[in-house]
């Protein structure tokens, strides 16, 4: 069964169409790059999959269920902006995630926090911007979810932090799950991707494996993206 499936998915905001007739399938065990220019519909698709928005047409399902109360236990979501309470300590964050999500693996979170030398009593407010982003990602990736939706997980952080975040994603997701990474920093994430989905003007213009792009096109994903979306 696909982890995420869309058929003819459409979403409008007033007169603006954010997604139009989007059809795609994401299977378990895949890390998928959701790529496209600003305004192409990436965040809208992620929010629909997380049940934060409702479609105006078509079909979307997570492990066969429509996004909503039933699917919330299956999806681990990293929003584009840091959304963890700044007054909480690292320990309080783990307590919160442990209370809220049955699949939260506290030992995994504790191990990653220790690797970053983050003390359990250190509050989010005391952390640097890069460390806050790492901590939020650690909480998200410490769940044994079926679908991880990561919206710009490496935006605005230094290259060393990007490497740490990508290694965290690879090393900690449930192998029976799928990971969707929305990003503009294609060259940075390409090495971890199995597949890519290109969105343009609210539609899917390409879904392909990274290996097929390299073999059939003779170029990297970043090079193909620049060619497809050149101004």
């Amino acid at each position: 069964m696909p982890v995420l499936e869309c058929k003819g998915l459409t979403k409008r905001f007033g007169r603006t169409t954010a997604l139009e007739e989007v059809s795609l399938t994401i299977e378990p065990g895949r890390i998928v790059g959701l790529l496209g220019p600003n305004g192409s519909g990436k965040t809208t698709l992620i929010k629909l999959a997380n049940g934060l928005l409702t479609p105006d047409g078509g079909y979307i399902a997570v492990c066969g269920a429509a996004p909503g109360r039933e699917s919330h236990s299956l999806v681990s979501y990293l929003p584009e902006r840091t959304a963890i309470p700044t007054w909480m300590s690292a320990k309080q964050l783990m307590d919160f995630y442990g209370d809220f999500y049955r699949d939260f693996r506290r030992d995994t979170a504790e191990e990653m926090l220790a690797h970053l030398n983050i003390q359990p009593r250190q509050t989010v407010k005391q952390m640097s911007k890069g460390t806050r982003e790492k901590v939020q990602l650690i909480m998200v990736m410490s769940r044994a979810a079926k679908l991880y939706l990561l919206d710009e997980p490496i935006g605005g952080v230094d290259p060393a932090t990007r490497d740490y975040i990508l290694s965290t994603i690879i090393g900690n997701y449930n192998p029976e799950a799928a990971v969707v990474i929305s990003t503009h920093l294609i060259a940075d994430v390409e090495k971890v991707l199995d597949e890519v989905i290109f969105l343009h003007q609210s539609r899917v213009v390409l879904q392909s494996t990274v290996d097929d792009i390299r073999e059939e096109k003779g170029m990297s994903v970043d090079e193909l993206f620049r060619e497809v979306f050149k101004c």
Side-chain angles (χ1 to χ4, degrees), residues 60-92:
I60 181 170
V62 175
C63 298
R69 183 175 295 179
E70 188 176 343
S71 70
H72 280 163
S73 63
L74 306 174
V75 177
S76 195
Y77 168 55
L78 181 79
E80 184 176 1
R81 293 180 175 83
T82 305
I84 49 178
T86 58
W87 58 267
M88 278 191 178
S89 66
K91 179 184 180 301
Q92 287 172 316

Side-chain angles (χ1 to χ4, degrees), residues 21-72:
E21 296 290 327
V22 165
S23 297
L24 57 87
T25 301
I26 296 176
E27 299 291 343
R30 311 295 281 174
I31 300 180
V32 181
L34 185 62
L35 313 175
N38 288 331
S40 57
K42 300 187 300 296
T43 294
T44 298
L45 178 57
I46 284 175
K47 287 184 175 180
L48 284 163
N50 198 39
L52 295 173
L53 297 172
T54 54
D56 293 309
Y59 166 88
I60 181 170
V62 175
C63 298
R69 183 175 295 179
E70 188 176 343
S71 70
H72 280 163

Side-chain angles (χ1 to χ4, degrees), residues 94 103-114 142 172:
M94 289 189 290
D103 62 1
F104 183 67
R105 300 169 295 180
R106 190 183 184 104
D107 56 340
T108 299
E110 287 175 341
E111 185 179 327
M112 288 191 282
L113 289 170
S142 292
N172 292 281

Side-chain angles (χ1 to χ4, degrees), residues 165-181:
I165 286 172
L166 291 174
S167 65
T168 299
I169 292 168
I170 297 168
N172 292 281
Y173 85 98
N174 176 357
E176 297 177 359
V179 181
V180 176
I181 303 175

Side-chain angles (χ1 to χ4, degrees), residues 112 115-116 134 138 159-169:
M112 288 191 282
H115 181 75
L116 293 176
K134 290 176 186 174
I138 285 170
T161 298
R162 290 176 196 169
D163 288 342
Y164 175 82
I165 286 172
L166 291 174
S167 65
T168 299
I169 292 168

